Amino acid sequence: APAAAAEAPAEDAPKEKKEEKKKETYSVKLVSFDTSKKINVVKEVRAVTQLGLKEAKEFVESAPKVLKKGVPTADAEAIRDKLAAAGAEVVLE
């Protein structure tokens, strides 16, 4: 039993290092947007968050603000690309 207990901390250390190298989930943060493209940004925010028109518009106007938390890497990058194409500045944290 003592041998098994000694091995457990050694196994935990490599897992911690892997997490530092590459995050598995991100928060998608709307930093700012191009004023002339605000309508397109609001449409994309609505599509991503399932908010109503009024709520999405208020969300966009209150930037910088976190759009979604705990998003897997691939989904976060897809959301970032869609919003960037619509005229928003987005950061993954």
Side-chain angles (χ1 to χ4, degrees), residues 23-78:
K23 290 174 70 175
E24 302 215 356
T25 60
Y26 289 91
S27 292
V28 181
K29 184 175 184 179
L30 176 64
V31 180
S32 64
F33 60 93
D34 185 357
T35 309
S36 64
K37 297 182 179 177
K38 179 177 171 182
I39 293 170
N40 293 332
V41 175
V42 170
K43 286 179 183 177
E44 284 301 328
V45 168
R46 284 187 70 196
V48 170
T49 61
Q50 306 298 312
L51 290 173
L53 179 60
K54 181 178 182 243
E55 291 82 4
K57 180 177 179 281
E58 288 171 354
F59 181 92
V60 170
E61 289 171 347
S62 67
K65 197 168 184 181
V66 174
L67 185 63
K68 271 192 153 182
K69 292 181 181 176
V71 183
T73 304
D75 293 345
E77 289 173 354

Side-chain angles (χ1 to χ4, degrees), residues 13-24 26:
K15 287 181 185 176
E16 290 175 328
K17 287 181 183 176
K18 283 183 184 177
E19 286 179 29
E20 289 176 24
K21 288 181 186 175
K22 189 171 184 182
K23 290 174 70 175
E24 302 215 356
Y26 289 91

